Amino acid sequence: MTKALLFALGSLVAGAMLLYHPAARGQLADGDSPGALFWVASALIAALAVQSVRLTAALDGSRWLGTATAALFGLWVVYFWQLLVVALEVPRVLLPPPNLILSSLGEHREVLWGDFVQTVLKAVLIGWAIGSGLGFGVAVAIDRQPFLQRGLLPLASLTSTVPLVAVAPIAVMWFGFEWPSKAAVVVLMTFFPMLVSTLAGLKASGKLERELMYSYAASYRRTLLALRLPSAMPFIFGALKVNATLALIGAIVAEFFGSPTAGLGFRISTEASRMNMPLVWSAIVVAAVTGSLAYAVLVQFERRVAFWHPSVRGH
């Protein structure tokens, strides 16, 4: 383990040294090319990067090693993004280098924080909670009264087929330009995945266990709470994780069709029209990091709630 980590660290140090080359810093004179030596060194660093990730991924141990492998891979992606974009003089309108994006994040942190509050803490969080809660409640109602499945389930499936670009303008007309219209879109997007997953989870408990509860004259409520809901937890958390990403995408896209002067979708749309791509990418980074953190938090909750399930014990 120590050798693999030292190899990864040494590879990163060697890569950092290459960043001081004039070609990697954008300091070449007009018309000059990076030169063969630079590309040979870049190829060598690329080989070291691949080997460092392979060695780290092969380590056995705690799940934190998996996180370290993912972080190392991400560092190398950002590294070569910076190196190649600057060395090849890619126009910033097409793809700005990571250092400009980080600089824009720091410069516009207050604006991006306001966008985060508007999009994530209001539209996404509230819409995700309401949509997932409604899907769960309707699933339990259908399970309790099977005749509802013939009426409610086909209607519910319609919510997953409605195009987002069609419902977003309608939501703006109904609920206004503020965050409630975006939360309504999120509710529509997250309702059906939770409904379907919960119904599948409620049927996942074993037949012998259900017959045992029946032989003890357990009520539907007792069977639901003691047996069927615990068995459904992996399915429910699966829907919650999927809905977390769907909610973020839905809220951002909905802001393209009408928004106040704040929001990640509003920022991306507005700044892209101004060709301010570093700020556009800064908003994208905020959205991506938020989605990844939300997924990670839900995974941790799942490990504590459904610790007994084989899919969780295996991690």
Side-chain angles (χ1 to χ4, degrees):
M1 179 185 297
T2 304
K3 292 181 179 179
L5 295 178
L6 288 176
F7 183 85
L9 181 60
S11 302
L12 289 172
V13 171
M17 293 175 63
L18 183 60
L19 289 178
Y20 283 94
H21 191 279
R25 304 175 69 178
Q27 296 178 348
L28 292 177
D30 293 339
D32 289 350
S33 61
L37 182 61
F38 172 80
W39 294 117
V40 170
S42 299
L44 179 61
I45 296 299
L48 292 175
V50 172
Q51 186 64 17
S52 65
V53 174
R54 290 181 60 184
L55 290 175
T56 308
L59 295 176
D60 293 327
S62 66
R63 63 176 181 267
W64 297 111
L65 286 174
T67 304
T69 303
L72 180 62
F73 180 79
L75 283 174
W76 281 121
V77 169
V78 174
Y79 172 83
F80 284 105
W81 177 1
Q82 173 73 31
L83 183 71
L84 297 177
V85 165
V86 175
L88 297 175
E89 298 181 348
V90 177
R92 295 178 182 178
V93 174
L94 296 180
L95 185 63
N99 66 323
L100 284 183
I101 297 174
L102 289 176
S103 176
S104 180
L105 275 170
E107 182 181 353
H108 301 96
R109 58 184 179 276
E110 294 182 0
V111 172
L112 291 171
W113 171 251
D115 295 337
F116 175 84
V117 172
Q118 177 75 16
T119 301
V120 177
L121 298 187
K122 294 180 179 179
V124 172
L125 190 59
I126 295 175
W128 173 80
I130 294 176
S132 299
L134 283 176
F136 176 81
V138 173
V140 173
I142 290 175
D143 181 77
R144 183 68 178 91
Q145 302 292 339
F147 76 90
L148 294 175
Q149 185 169 356
R150 296 184 177 181
L152 287 180
L153 200 56
L155 292 176
S157 65
L158 290 176
T159 63
S160 64
T161 61
V162 178
L164 178 59
V165 294
V167 73
I170 296 174
V172 170
M173 288 188 294
W174 285 2
F175 300 101
F177 287 93
E178 277 291 342
W179 65 266
S181 60
K182 286 67 183 173
V185 173
V186 172
V187 169
L188 190 66
M189 293 186 65
T190 57
F191 170 73
F192 189 69
M194 176 57 75
L195 171 62
V196 174
S197 296
T198 303
L199 283 174
L202 292 175
K203 297 177 182 178
S205 57
K207 182 179 179 181
L208 291 178
E209 288 86 351
R210 294 197 302 269
E211 290 179 349
L212 178 63
M213 297 292 288
Y214 179 79
S215 67
Y216 285 136
S219 63
Y220 173 82
R221 180 174 177 272
R222 173 56 63 183
T223 304
L224 179 69
L225 295 177
L227 173 64
R228 304 186 69 196
L229 273 183
S231 299
M233 281 302 163
F235 295 83
I236 294 173
F237 273 99
L240 289 174
K241 289 183 286 189
V242 170
N243 281 346
T245 56
L246 285 178
L248 189 59
I249 294 171
I252 290 175
V253 173
E255 288 179 344
F256 290 174
F257 296 91
S259 177
T261 57
L264 294 175
F266 168 82
R267 194 66 52 199
I268 293 172
S269 176
T270 303
E271 298 303 328
S273 64
R274 298 173 180 172
M275 296 299 178
N276 187 5
M277 301 313 293
L279 184 53
V280 171
W281 278 89
S282 297
I284 293 173
V285 168
V286 171
V289 171
T290 299
S292 299
L293 289 177
Y295 188 92
V297 168
L298 289 171
V299 167
Q300 294 301 318
F301 273 111
E302 182 181 13
R303 288 194 175 119
R304 284 167 171 74
V305 174
F307 58 89
W308 50 269
H309 197 268
S311 64
V312 176
R313 292 204 310 268
H315 295 80

